[in-house]
Amino acid sequence: MPPTTTASSGQQPGKSGRKKGRRARLIVLVLVLAVIGGVAFGGYWSVSTVRASFPQTKGSIELEGLSGPVDVKRDSYGIPQIYASSDADLFMAQGYVQAQDRFYEMDVRRHMTSGRLSEMFGKGQVKDDEFLRTLGWDRVAKKEYDTKLSASTKKYLQAYAKGVNAYLQGKSGKEISLEYAALGFENDYHPEKWTPVDSVAWLKAMAWDLRGNMQDEIDRALMTSRLGPKQISDLYPDYPYSRNQAIVQEGQYSELTGTFEQNGSSQENGLSGSGTSTSGSGTSTSGSGTSTGGTATGTSASTSSSTASALQSQLSGLYKVLDDVPTAVGVNGQGIGSNSWVVAGSHTITGKPLLANDPHLSASLPSVWYQMGLHCRTVSSKCQYDVSGYTFAGMPGVVIGHNAKIAWGMTNSGVDVTDLYLEKLSGDGYLYDGTTKPFTTREETIKVAGGASQKIVVRETNNGPLLSDRYDELVKVGKKATVDNAAPDRGDGYGVALRWTALDPGTSMDAVFAMDRASNWSDFREAAALFDVPSQNLVYADSENIGYTLPGRIPIRAKGDTGAIPAPGWDSKYAWTGKYIAQDELPYEYNPERGYIVTANQAVVDKDKYPYTLTTDWGYGTRSQRITDLIEQKIKGGGKISTDDMRQMQVDNSSEIAKLLVPKLLKIDLDDKDVRQAQELLEGWDYTQDADSAAAAYFNAVWRNILKLAFGNKLPKELRVKGQCLWVDPVNTIGPADEADKVRECGQRDADQAQPDGGDRWFEVVRNLMDDENSDWWKTPKGVGDRPAATNRDELFKRAMIDARWELTAKLGKDIDTWSWGRLHRLFLKNQTLGTEGPGFLKYMLNRGPWKLSGGEATVNATGWNAAGGYGVVWVPSMRMVVNLGDLDKSKWINLTGASGHAYSAHYTDQTGKWVKGELLDWSFSDGAVDKSTTDSLVLKP
């Protein structure tokens, strides 16, 4: 029977939220009047339709299956804190409350992870579903649930699912979410029951989003159609270990004893030696597979050339589908970073550690994160949790946050856990060590809303699923691809298979609960060992200690650095060995003497201090080094770091590339007075990218144009912005072609995914070329009108300054006094389904923005933008938190949007304004603090 409710059923904000609530109601009335003519599928929306799905937040509700009462206390931002007397009740209530706020988001996510988007959105999603069925996330999640997860984790997942289903019972589509009404699912939509596997599968989506260097692998292969090995090496420079510190510093690997030394005390590793080097440099013992500048040089040059060039034409199609899939739920694999750091009590005002974290993901509405607290009234064997932080709607537990004893944060490690393999297909099988092996196959049926079902056959090799089966262009070898005698004849083309650790069942869901109840460093390390996919940098703090550990299932490859470029799948020498780096062999650090640990996607450990190759595609350490410098400035100045100091570091807007380039730009002699006027903006500029800064606007426009002139116009069409066309030399010409022989090529990539994106890899590229003033990279032909050609660095800089001046004149006006970075650098929050694909008026109702933002690419305040495509914000700090281990109630947090996924709830985007300003909210944890901040109380009764 449906849950029984008493008291009010509408969401009622507290005192500080009443004005927001009134404003939201006014907006609802205005918009309802505006759409009286109907919605996308002819439905009529009234005020009651808009408000029908708002959750009950006061009074009581009877839920069948609870063993005792559960209190749900919400603050003025709608953030829930749940109190129960058993684990089962706690997680059942978590499922119920998250479904109240976010079920539509949860429903879309589970349709995405299972390759069933077509069931909701029709034939336009069939290609995505085909790809997702080929990956088989839900199948892996099912195996994980059946064979890998602990009995207690299964019970928690079952309890959570029971809570979600209790919320759904007896509700029509419009009573669940406004989006269902817009889709025409008002009364006849009855969502299927939530299952534990639905929760587990979401971890696969996040693993995909954080999968490592797969995109670099694709891009390097695509570059071979226009660039030679030396040029590609220029664009993937070595990590600057001497300038930007690695995460783990106070430890070194001892080859003789097989130990990893921490602060002078050795801890046994039990290193097997399998797949490691004897040089300590991270290369293989055979010498094959070494990496130079991020590009593989290990196999014979001809083999490397053939495997890379064989994918030139195909991988652009793969890129498109890889990009589209995660975007369906508001995250993607580009530009992803994160900041997290921890400072020991010896350097803080409180004398206890402070821990900060802000993961960087693409902006989504609602935010990918959901804030909440999970509290046992009495912590015991019956009820083990007292934890608060950020989780995902659709998943039990807390992913990032703190409990009563410890705190932890995460950043993406970027380690290489994916490889693409070229496969020689032959009839019903594939070639492997000279023998044709049969495919592993399965048939999948894709149901399509408003259309006929479609069937596909998924084929797998021993390396993994054949991604190329989903797109015809992936099975066509480039017409000019070359192969050597060791490679099989290409015939009709090579297939492309994916080997990825997340396609094997794992234990990450166990890790979430283990971290939530950990009480010390030892517990935390044991929990982290279960976090196999995705591999993350984990920072830790308790009241006396700080630490870092790298968990994850990281493969040992049989031959070479397979992960740098696509590998020959027909040769067993390039297969994964089935062995992974043992957990006690992975880098970690505990109470380093310097008193702090910084992780921001930089190298985990110096390559000369560790025997394994974790990846050759680290972030380049710009953000991490800036954070380190800010901490050091405070310490060396004799100061102590406060919670607010940590917050101010999170919103630091300093541009490191500006510090390098501006002194050079100010020396450029300019004839045009209007361009000189813009140049003068840079005089005395402190390199801070505030939203109201005209200097930041002009510098970033100059930076964008430097990248376009020096690099972007020389990249192959597959990497350039879609629709931007150039006349270029034919590929096979020797020397410059005559003008009459040039061919017109247009870019093929979405603007927010093109190259050069302007991130800190490009900082390093330009830094390395600065002293080579006559490099070919600085040469560019004459531009439109009187835009001068360039034959050296300063001439190209001059041209970029001219182009930037007139670009901003077109965008912002001729009067530079009106220019500001925020006018260019804007954030739009879009509902990730109907807000991107729905009719215009529906987008207007569901989307929010714009906001003018400070910060920028590779800045600590990482409001990322893609320099190839424009200045708009494409990814952001998706949340920010600072945990105070001296007094947990003095911790602070903020979300990008709000607690609610309901478009006209007062809590839809009520945190965004403060997030934009770099402000944080109070984060109550203790019973007394939560009671003081509570505005709405709901009791869930058995």
Side-chain angles (χ1 to χ4, degrees):
M1 57 184 294
T4 302
T5 65
T6 61
S8 61
S9 60
Q11 180 172 319
Q12 299 184 21
K15 293 180 180 178
S16 64
R18 286 173 184 162
K19 185 178 291 185
K20 297 174 187 173
R22 288 195 295 271
R23 186 181 303 116
R25 287 192 291 274
L26 288 172
I27 294 172
V28 170
L29 288 170
V30 171
L31 287 172
V32 167
L33 290 173
V35 298
I36 276 179
V39 294
F41 294 90
Y44 171 82
W45 285 0
S46 64
V47 174
S48 62
T49 300
V50 173
R51 294 180 58 87
S53 59
F54 285 12
Q56 177 179 337
T57 60
K58 291 186 176 182
S60 64
I61 300 174
E62 290 184 6
L63 293 187
E64 185 177 347
L66 288 176
S67 64
V70 177
D71 295 311
V72 182
K73 302 178 180 181
R74 294 180 184 257
D75 66 12
S76 61
Y77 287 88
I79 299 170
Q81 305 284 338
I82 299 175
Y83 291 82
S85 298
S86 73
D87 290 339
D89 285 355
L90 189 66
F91 293 117
M92 182 178 175
Q94 184 182 18
Y96 186 88
V97 170
Q98 285 193 341
Q100 279 187 307
D101 286 336
R102 300 275 193 97
F103 182 75
Y104 175 76
E105 174 193 2
M106 293 163 59
D107 201 16
V108 171
R109 283 179 175 176
R110 69 165 164 180
H111 278 80
M112 189 274 290
T113 56
S114 59
R116 294 167 51 216
L117 288 168
S118 300
E119 293 180 18
M120 294 186 77
F121 303 109
K123 64 182 180 180
Q125 296 297 322
V126 169
K127 287 293 185 182
D128 284 345
D129 283 346
E130 289 179 351
F131 184 78
L132 289 159
R133 295 289 182 94
T134 301
L135 285 174
W137 288 345
D138 62 329
R139 296 172 61 86
V140 180
K142 179 69 163 58
K143 290 180 183 177
E144 207 160 278
Y145 180 80
D146 289 342
T147 66
K148 290 288 186 178
L149 298 182
S150 68
S152 61
T153 293
K154 290 181 181 181
K155 289 179 181 177
Y156 301 154
L157 289 164
Q158 291 162 5
Y160 181 89
K162 185 189 293 185
V164 175
N165 294 328
Y167 168 76
L168 295 176
Q169 190 174 356
K171 288 185 172 62
S172 65
K174 72 176 183 179
E175 292 174 309
I176 298 172
S177 180
L178 182 66
E179 286 90 340
Y180 292 122
L183 287 167
F185 297 167
E186 287 195 56
N187 299 311
D188 61 348
Y189 180 69
H190 301 287
E192 62 196 58
K193 289 187 176 182
W194 192 264
T195 73
V197 173
D198 292 334
S199 296
V200 178
W202 179 240
L203 283 176
K204 299 301 174 187
M206 292 309 297
W208 178 258
D209 198 48
L210 303 168
R211 61 192 177 273
N213 77 332
M214 187 171 174
Q215 197 54 58
D216 291 311
E217 191 173 338
I218 292 171
D219 286 359
R220 278 191 287 262
L222 292 172
M223 285 179 183
T224 60
S225 66
R226 283 280 168 198
L227 305 177
K230 173 60 169 65
Q231 292 170 310
I232 295 174
S233 180
D234 286 345
L235 302 186
Y236 286 88
D238 291 332
Y239 184 89
Y241 289 99
S242 62
R243 188 175 67 255
N244 294 343
Q245 296 175 0
I247 297 171
V248 176
Q249 300 169 40
E250 297 180 26
Q252 64 181 21
Y253 183 79
S254 171
E255 298 167 24
L256 295 177
T257 61
T259 61
F260 191 78
E261 297 178 0
Q262 289 288 127
N263 299 333
S265 62
S266 297
Q267 303 203 15
E268 289 300 325
N269 260 345
L271 182 64
S272 65
S274 174
T276 67
S277 79
T278 56
S279 65
S281 63
T283 61
S284 77
T285 54
S286 66
S288 65
T290 61
S291 172
T292 303
T295 58
T297 61
T299 60
S300 69
S302 57
T303 302
S304 294
S305 174
S306 72
T307 56
S309 59
L311 287 183
Q312 290 171 15
S313 63
Q314 304 143 285
L315 286 178
S316 59
L318 173 60
Y319 181 96
K320 175 62 178 169
V321 72
L322 300 189
D323 176 39
D324 281 352
V325 168
T327 304
V329 288
V331 291
N332 64 51
Q334 296 302 298
I336 290 208
S338 296
N339 303 322
S340 191
W341 67 97
V342 60
V343 180
S346 57
H347 297 313
T348 70
I349 287 176
T350 64
K352 301 294 182 181
L354 295 170
L355 185 150
N357 195 190
D358 54 283
H360 307 155
L361 299 168
S362 61
S364 61
L365 181 60
S367 167
V368 69
W369 298 108
Y370 185 92
Q371 297 155 286
M372 71 187 321
L374 301 171
H375 308 278
C376 291
R377 294 189 179 95
T378 301
V379 176
S380 65
S381 59
K382 180 182 177 182
C383 197
Q384 304 174 73
Y385 296 89
D386 188 15
V387 62
S388 184
Y390 298 82
T391 188
F392 304 123
M395 203 180 90
V398 167
V399 177
I400 295 174
H402 71 82
N403 59 32
K405 300 290 186 180
I406 72 165
W408 66 95
M410 297 184 188
T411 64
N412 192 23
S413 71
V415 299
D416 188 1
V417 295
T418 60
D419 285 336
L420 292 175
Y421 282 91
L422 296 178
E423 303 284 5
K424 171 57 180 174
L425 309 183
S426 177
D428 293 328
Y430 58 96
L431 190 66
Y432 191 70
D433 282 348
T435 302
T436 299
K437 289 179 167 287
F439 297 113
T440 301
T441 63
R442 67 178 186 273
E443 186 177 82
E444 297 273 354
T445 299
I446 298 172
K447 297 179 181 179
V448 182
S453 297
Q454 300 188 26
K455 292 186 177 182
I456 63 169
V457 175
V458 176
R459 300 189 295 175
E460 295 188 5
T461 73
N462 60 343
N463 290 313
L466 275 172
L467 303 187
S468 51
D469 277 357
R470 303 285 66 89
Y471 287 83
D472 290 342
E473 62 189 336
L474 292 179
V475 299
K476 296 177 182 176
V477 177
K479 291 180 180 180
K480 298 173 184 177
T482 58
V483 293
D484 68 2
N485 294 332
D489 180 78
R490 67 176 180 254
D492 293 331
Y494 297 128
V496 184
L498 172 67
R499 186 77 170 94
W500 178 33
T501 55
L503 296 183
D504 298 322
T507 56
S508 293
M509 197 71 240
D510 283 340
V512 171
F513 295 112
M515 285 191 289
D516 285 356
R517 61 178 180 261
S519 61
N520 53 46
W521 172 244
S522 178
D523 289 349
F524 185 74
R525 284 266 290 167
E526 289 180 11
L530 299 170
F531 206 95
D532 45 16
V533 176
S535 176
Q536 297 288 284
N537 296 312
L538 298 179
V539 293
Y540 165 94
D542 59 39
S543 62
E544 304 297 333
N545 306 289
I546 64 172
Y548 162 86
T549 190
L550 174 70
R553 188 189 302 142
I554 303 170
I556 295 172
R557 294 165 170 90
K559 182 177 181 180
D561 178 23
T562 312
I565 59 171
W570 49 81
D571 188 342
S572 61
K573 296 186 185 71
Y574 293 88
W576 287 11
T577 64
K579 297 180 180 179
Y580 300 87
I581 303 175
Q583 289 298 308
D584 60 359
E585 296 170 19
L586 290 170
Y588 69 94
E589 198 166 56
Y590 187 56
N591 288 333
E593 291 182 10
R594 64 187 181 279
Y596 60 87
I597 302 169
V598 176
T599 84
N601 316 112
Q602 79 272 39
V604 169
V605 65
D606 194 304
K607 63 181 180 180
D608 294 327
K609 296 181 179 179
Y610 192 66
Y612 295 105
T613 298
L614 297 172
T615 187
T616 57
D617 291 308
W618 304 113
Y620 281 77
T622 302
R623 281 178 288 109
S624 61
Q625 194 57 44
R626 175 62 178 171
I627 295 166
T628 296
D629 291 344
L630 291 170
I631 294 171
E632 285 286 342
Q633 288 171 18
K634 191 77 173 181
I635 293 172
K636 291 179 179 178
K640 297 286 187 178
I641 296 172
S642 68
T643 300
D644 196 59
D645 289 331
M646 300 284 274
R647 179 196 66 81
Q648 291 184 46
M649 292 177 194
Q650 287 181 323
V651 294
D652 178 79
N653 292 320
S654 177
S655 170
E656 296 303 301
I657 191 62
K659 295 175 184 177
L660 175 69
L661 292 182
V662 166
K664 303 291 185 185
L665 298 177
L666 289 174
K667 293 179 181 179
I668 302 293
D669 187 19
L670 298 165
D671 300 324
D672 189 311
K673 64 179 180 61
D674 290 314
V675 182
R676 285 202 310 273
Q677 184 185 29
Q679 182 188 38
E680 289 169 0
L681 290 172
L682 303 179
E683 295 178 358
W685 179 44
D686 64 357
Y687 313 120
T688 299
Q689 300 171 101
D690 292 333
D692 61 359
S693 171
Y698 182 59
F699 171 77
N700 282 317
V702 173
W703 170 237
R704 178 175 186 248
N705 280 279
I706 287 173
L707 292 171
K708 178 181 177 181
L709 295 169
F711 311 106
N713 291 348
K714 298 162 189 173
L715 295 176
K717 61 183 180 295
E718 293 88 355
L719 276 69
R720 298 202 316 268
V721 175
K722 188 183 298 180
Q724 290 186 1
C725 302
L726 298 170
W727 290 94
V728 299
D729 294 345
V731 172
N732 279 351
T733 57
I734 299 175
D738 293 334
E739 289 299 317
D741 294 330
K742 289 181 180 291
V743 295
R744 191 169 186 263
E745 288 187 350
C746 299
Q748 298 180 350
R749 212 169 257 189
D750 289 343
D752 62 353
Q753 304 294 333
Q755 292 292 340
D757 61 17
D760 67 353
R761 173 164 66 89
W762 294 98
F763 290 14
E764 201 64 22
V765 169
V766 170
R767 186 187 298 275
N768 289 347
L769 292 170
M770 284 294 285
D771 293 335
D772 187 1
E773 297 182 27
N774 296 307
S775 167
D776 286 344
W777 288 112
W778 300 129
K779 298 174 182 178
T780 192
K782 187 176 182 293
V784 177
D786 60 352
R787 307 288 171 86
T791 61
N792 59 44
R793 184 197 69 193
D794 287 352
E795 288 179 0
L796 185 136
F797 284 6
K798 180 177 181 178
R799 165 74 177 278
M801 294 175 78
I802 294 169
D803 288 359
R805 174 37 159 137
W806 299 116
E807 180 189 1
L808 293 198
T809 297
K811 293 181 183 296
L812 303 179
K814 188 173 182 179
D815 184 359
I816 66 173
D817 289 338
T818 67
W819 290 3
S820 71
W821 176 225
R823 287 182 62 196
L824 291 172
H825 192 53
R826 298 188 299 168
L827 170 67
F828 291 85
L829 291 175
K830 296 181 180 180
N831 178 288
Q832 290 302 299
T833 54
L834 302 182
T836 56
E837 300 295 334
F841 75 87
L842 194 56
K843 292 179 182 179
Y844 182 79
M845 295 188 72
L846 297 176
N847 298 341
R848 299 291 182 269
W851 286 270
K852 298 175 181 179
L853 296 194
S854 301
E857 189 74 22
T859 301
V860 180
N861 185 18
T863 56
W865 56 286
N866 185 292
Y871 304 97
V873 176
V874 296
W875 52 278
V876 296
S878 55
M879 63 81 158
R880 298 186 183 104
M881 74 175 195
V882 179
V883 182
N884 184 330
L885 276 299
D887 184 345
L888 292 172
D889 288 330
K890 292 182 179 177
S891 301
K892 303 284 185 178
W893 62 352
I894 196 81
N895 207 349
L896 172 63
T897 59
S900 180
H902 300 289
Y904 292 102
S905 163
H907 306 307
Y908 191 47
T909 56
D910 59 339
Q911 297 185 51
T912 308
K914 289 182 176 294
W915 176 93
V916 168
K917 296 176 184 178
E919 297 176 5
L920 300 175
L921 306 178
D922 291 337
W923 183 355
S924 300
F925 180 72
S926 69
D927 292 351
V930 169
D931 287 342
K932 187 175 180 180
S933 64
T934 295
T935 60
D936 289 7
S937 293
L938 174 70
V939 180
L940 303 178
K941 295 181 177 180

